[in-house]
Amino acid sequence: MFSFEFLIRILPDLLRGLVVTVEATLGGFALALIVGLALALGRRSGVKALRLFCDGYIALMRCTPLLVQLYFVFYVLPSYGIRFPALMTGILCLGLHIGAYIAEVYRAGIDGVPDGQWEAARALGLKPYALWTRVVLPQALPPMIPPLGNFLIGLFKETPLLAAITVVDIFGAANNVAGLTYRYNEPYTAAAVILLAVSLIAAYFVRKLERRFDRTALGKSG
């Protein structure tokens, strides 16, 4: 039988797990933004070796499951003297994995900048740093925000995998409660409801951002 009294007792443990989930999500997403931008710029480089490296990295990350990457970093690398705390491992793997997908978002945004903007910037003699920071990225980033928001939500939903490497996120907290009490209905139901609620709230704000940038685009086109 489902017990609300028991649910209230375990709720603080689940909320502490939720804090860890949010930390892993935000940390992994921040790293993914950096990795994705580096990969997108690397694929546009004039250095062939760098382009091949970026293409190979993206293919490797996208063709192997995140869970396998977590196990490899947490259980295999320590055999070679490379060891990270569980939460740091989760953040690294999430960021490096999702960064391979975000690179495609950056690529699409950069390719969306009109050729005339590139030509005008070069005609003015702008150096590469100024070209990217003053002309290209300011125009490329706004259309990227909605898909990046969707990746943030997707990353949040991937965090329960971190329980496999002993990270006590909200799903890990639910596992601990279930293992200690042999009660499964309350912890797993509560974890699912909390994850759903946070995802819906995040999706609501992403939709608001999408509508806002759609209106901005229409205003500029008009």
Side-chain angles (χ1 to χ4, degrees):
M1 297 293 293
F2 192 94
S3 170
F4 284 98
E5 180 182 354
F6 179 70
L7 174 61
I8 292 173
R9 290 209 310 269
I10 66 173
L11 193 58
D13 292 332
L14 298 179
L15 292 179
R16 282 192 291 270
L18 178 62
V19 172
V20 175
T21 296
V22 172
E23 289 176 348
T25 300
L26 296 181
F29 189 68
L31 178 59
L33 291 176
I34 297 171
V35 170
L37 180 59
L39 291 171
L41 296 180
R43 296 178 78 183
R44 300 180 66 90
S45 170
V47 181
K48 183 178 180 180
L50 181 58
R51 293 199 306 271
L52 291 175
F53 172 80
C54 292
D55 289 340
Y57 177 90
I58 291 172
L60 175 65
M61 287 296 166
R62 296 179 67 173
C63 294
T64 55
L66 175 58
L67 185 59
V68 172
Q69 296 168 13
L70 287 167
Y71 272 108
F72 181 83
V73 174
F74 192 70
Y75 293 109
V76 177
L77 289 187
S79 303
Y80 299 93
I82 303 173
R83 186 184 304 273
F84 302 102
L87 181 58
M88 180 60 67
T89 299
I91 291 174
L92 286 174
C93 288
L94 288 172
L96 295 175
H97 182 81
I98 300 298
Y101 292 88
I102 287 181
E104 291 299 308
V105 176
Y106 282 120
R107 181 196 60 77
I110 293 171
D111 289 346
V113 176
D115 292 339
Q117 296 292 318
W118 294 84
E119 295 169 359
R122 293 191 180 102
L124 291 172
L126 292 182
K127 294 182 178 180
Y129 179 79
L131 168 67
W132 282 98
T133 58
R134 298 183 181 180
V135 178
V136 177
L137 291 180
Q139 296 181 72
L141 285 176
M144 298 180 196
I145 291 179
L148 289 177
N150 291 330
F151 272 112
L152 176 61
I153 296 171
L155 182 60
F156 177 76
K157 292 187 290 186
E158 294 285 353
T159 54
L161 292 175
L162 302 188
I165 58 170
T166 72
V167 174
V168 186
D169 65 337
I170 186 170
F171 186 70
N175 275 337
N176 290 343
V177 171
L180 290 172
T181 64
Y182 297 100
R183 297 182 67 103
Y184 302 96
N185 289 343
E186 295 88 352
Y188 289 128
T189 301
V193 170
I194 292 172
L195 288 171
L196 176 62
V198 175
S199 297
L200 290 175
I201 292 171
Y204 169 76
F205 285 107
V206 168
R207 285 196 297 271
K208 287 193 68 173
L209 280 174
E210 289 176 351
R211 288 194 291 267
R212 176 181 177 182
F213 281 102
D214 285 343
R215 287 195 298 268
T216 302
L218 287 174
K220 290 182 179 179
S221 63

